[in-house]
Amino acid sequence: MATSVDTRTVLGADVSLELSGTWAGYWVAMLRLLTGWWFFHAGITKYANLWTSAEPFTATGWLTGATQGTVVAPITVWFGNNAAWFVNFTIPLGETLIGLALLLGVLVRFAAFWGAFLMTFFYLGNAGFAHGFVNGDLMGLLLFVTLIVLGAGRVMGLDQYVENWGLVQDHPRLKYLLG
Amino acid sequence: MLVGGALVVVGTVVLGLIETFVGNPSPVPVTNEAGDVIASPTIPVEIRATLIALGLLVWGLYGVYKLAAPSGGESTPTGTAATTE
């Protein structure tokens, strides 16, 4: 079954996208799972000191050192000097929860928003532009935006069930947080 | 979506093309093995990064706006879809 997506609102161009529901569905689910595992793994391994002899995760050096001179430095350096504990706490927890949400397909848009938020700081803060402005960090950021735009949690994810809850039916705006 | 996307595309693609053909093929200074700068970017890297950051900020703010805006404009977030067999 092909689905024609009306794109007349895109700069007024009267064209349509013909999507194969099957291909698009599997592709969206795969993007969600891989992006979810990427962040879940990145987050959970920052707790490796709990079961190995690894050093506890700290972003202080990155905040006050690596991001110096970048456009996000006013924010990152301030946090590094004044509230590094907050970043050291929220990055592993945030990455783990964002990844878990994407893997389960629940609250996908909400999770992907915060994933894109984190990737914005990683992309601009790493400032690894020696190989160009389009690098892996930006691609990762765009993956999260893609999941938001497509509402990826509905395909093989729990959001397809959550969206049927009475609470969501009564407050349709909640769908902007779900898949 | 259009404004944010335009800023991101200008910061990456448009200025990247200009930079490549009139200035330095890399957004950052290119050095030789001795550490001497052999090519410098025409467009400061901060300007391009700021444009991209503004584009991403517009996207983020739009997402928050969609969630917080008074109801009435609610529709399928990805646009209307019609099924054709």
Side-chain angles (χ1 to χ4, degrees):
Chain A
M1 183 176 72
T3 299
S4 179
V5 180
D6 190 344
T7 61
R8 272 175 293 183
T9 55
V10 181
L11 291 176
D14 188 12
V15 297
S16 64
L17 293 173
E18 288 198 6
L19 298 177
S20 160
T22 306
W23 276 88
Y26 281 123
W27 187 248
V28 165
M30 196 189 76
L31 286 184
R32 174 173 62 76
L33 290 173
L34 265 64
T35 309
W37 174 250
W38 170 41
F39 250 51
F40 181 76
H41 178 264
I44 203 74
T45 52
K46 288 184 175 63
Y47 293 110
N49 62 300
L50 298 179
W51 65 87
T52 71
S53 57
E55 293 288 322
F57 169 76
T58 173
T60 310
W62 180 76
L63 291 169
T64 57
T67 66
Q68 288 279 4
T70 66
V71 294
V72 292
I75 301 170
T76 53
V77 173
W78 186 91
F79 269 95
N81 289 328
N82 299 287
W85 62 269
F86 176 76
V87 180
N88 291 335
F89 174 74
T90 51
I91 284 187
L93 184 65
E95 285 182 340
T96 303
L97 293 179
I98 289 166
L100 195 60
L102 294 189
L103 286 172
L104 296 174
V106 64
L107 285 169
V108 162
R109 283 195 167 118
F110 182 66
F113 173 87
W114 290 110
F117 177 83
L118 282 180
M119 286 310 301
T120 299
F121 280 92
F122 298 159
Y123 169 61
L124 296 171
N126 286 337
F129 302 133
H131 298 291
F133 267 89
V134 180
N135 55 25
D137 283 340
L138 181 62
M139 286 300 172
L141 194 163
L142 295 185
L143 273 178
F144 283 113
V145 178
T146 302
L147 297 180
I148 293 172
V149 171
L150 297 179
R154 293 175 189 147
V155 187
M156 298 166 67
L158 296 180
D159 275 344
Q160 64 178 311
Y161 304 108
V162 178
E163 286 191 338
N164 290 327
W165 288 359
L167 177 69
V168 180
Q169 297 293 323
D170 294 340
H171 302 85
R173 199 179 299 165
L174 289 175
K175 290 183 180 179
Y176 287 120
L177 301 177
L178 303 168
Chain B
M1 197 71 191
L2 180 62
V3 174
L7 285 166
V8 171
V9 169
V10 168
T12 54
V13 180
V14 177
L15 292 181
L17 277 171
I18 294 172
E19 185 74 83
T20 300
F21 289 111
V22 305
N24 181 355
S26 171
V28 297
V30 177
T31 57
N32 60 19
E33 289 185 4
D36 302 322
V37 176
I38 57 174
S40 297
T42 308
I43 302 154
V45 70
E46 294 82 10
I47 289 180
R48 294 179 63 183
T50 303
L51 282 171
I52 296 168
L54 284 174
L56 298 173
L57 184 65
V58 169
W59 278 352
L61 291 176
Y62 179 72
V64 174
Y65 163 77
K66 290 290 282 185
L67 183 66
S71 52
E74 290 180 356
S75 60
T76 307
T78 50
T80 55
T83 302
T84 55
E85 292 292 344

